[in-house]
Amino acid sequence: MKLLQEELAGLFMLGISGSAPLPPTVQEKFEKKSGGGIMEGYGLSEMSPTTHLNTSFMIRMAGGRDRVKINMTDPHDPVKNARLEMGSDTVTYSSINTGVPHVVLAVDDIDAADVKGVGRRIRRHPDFAPAGTNVNFMAPIGDNAWAVRTYERGVEDETLACGTGIVAAALVLAMQEGIGSPVILKTRSGSLLKVYFSTGGGSFREVYLEGDARIIYEGRLMPDAWQYDESA
């Protein structure tokens, strides 16, 4: 953490994340150890308040150099096997808020799922107004493994992966099928993610998401970028 503080202190005015708001205790720890402040705002793909720096800064590598395990927001508002009327169609769904709201649908064929068409209709359904919801489609692909595709609000289309959506799918599987932790899920991009969780008292806690951590870009921040004088 000392290295993180030395690298970050005074350098970043803000970072951007599409994640859910940080728990207050995590925010306090980050600000204390990094010397930086956290600003509230809107993410790139979620039409809801988010923080600009999320918990991935706090939880480091797990299981190897290229893997990271992130402590997720405590989920709430679980709904199991509800019915949604869509014109002449009725859809059975489950849902849970994993930092942002997610509907989860079980399908037989993940490749044939009408993610964009059905996803858009559910995302804007009056039952989820005014905020709307993300919509996930899942299907089994092996022993204790499922494929997940997500229609993401804000993007208004399918995305290659959604962390909170993957977590929602795993927790819905636990609710519906009694699946235990960890659950392995495959994103549309082909990445395999693991979701860990504990249960008790009818709720989920200690939820973690584990997946690849790769360097895809490096840049150099010049001194003028952080020595900006607002009073000038």
Side-chain angles (χ1 to χ4, degrees):
M1 217 34 154
K2 182 179 180 181
L3 177 60
L4 175 65
Q5 183 171 355
E6 291 174 352
E7 290 180 344
L8 293 184
L11 297 186
F12 286 98
M13 294 181 66
L14 61 87
I16 295 178
S17 168
S19 182
L22 283 177
T25 54
V26 176
Q27 180 171 332
E28 290 174 8
K29 287 182 180 180
F30 180 85
E31 291 179 342
K32 181 178 179 180
K33 292 186 177 293
S34 70
I38 294 179
M39 301 164 54
E40 298 287 337
Y42 283 83
L44 293 178
S45 61
E46 288 290 354
M47 300 303 290
S48 60
T50 65
T51 49
H52 289 299
L53 294 168
N54 68 15
T55 50
S56 61
F57 277 94
M58 299 300 298
I59 309 298
R60 299 314 302 166
M61 299 303 169
R65 287 179 54 195
D66 60 346
R67 302 285 289 181
V68 64
K69 192 173 182 180
I70 302 173
N71 188 3
M72 304 296 286
T73 301
D74 288 339
H76 56 91
D77 299 333
V79 174
K80 179 181 175 182
N81 294 332
R83 295 170 68 85
L84 186 69
E85 302 295 334
M86 298 196 304
S88 59
D89 300 324
T90 301
V91 174
T92 300
Y93 73 93
S94 294
S95 65
I96 192 166
N97 190 309
T98 54
V100 289
H102 282 274
V103 161
V104 181
L105 305 175
V107 297
D108 295 325
D109 186 341
I110 196 66
D111 292 321
D114 184 7
V115 175
K116 191 169 183 178
V118 175
R120 181 187 292 113
R121 293 176 67 192
I122 295 176
R123 177 262 190 269
R124 298 190 178 279
H125 195 281
D127 282 12
F128 303 111
T133 184
N134 301 283
V135 187
N136 305 271
F137 301 76
M138 66 178 183
I141 55 173
D143 293 338
N144 200 34
W146 283 261
V148 178
R149 297 174 65 184
T150 301
Y151 181 92
E152 195 167 346
R153 66 177 187 175
V155 177
E156 306 306 338
D157 206 340
E158 180 176 7
T159 55
L160 293 179
C162 175
T164 53
I166 287 290
V167 171
L171 300 185
V172 164
L173 283 167
M175 288 194 298
Q176 292 185 169
E177 308 294 338
I179 303 300
S181 173
V183 181
I184 301 172
L185 301 113
K186 184 179 181 181
T187 68
R188 195 57 175 167
S189 68
S191 294
L192 292 177
L193 304 177
K194 284 186 179 181
V195 178
Y196 301 81
F197 55 88
S198 298
T199 59
S203 63
F204 295 99
R205 61 182 186 275
E206 298 176 0
V207 180
Y208 289 85
L209 175 64
E210 180 183 309
D212 292 343
R214 303 175 184 176
I215 297 175
I216 60 173
Y217 179 83
E218 292 185 2
R220 184 180 180 187
L221 193 63
M222 303 302 291
D224 287 349
W226 68 84
Q227 293 177 356
Y228 174 71
D229 184 358
E230 293 185 354
S231 65

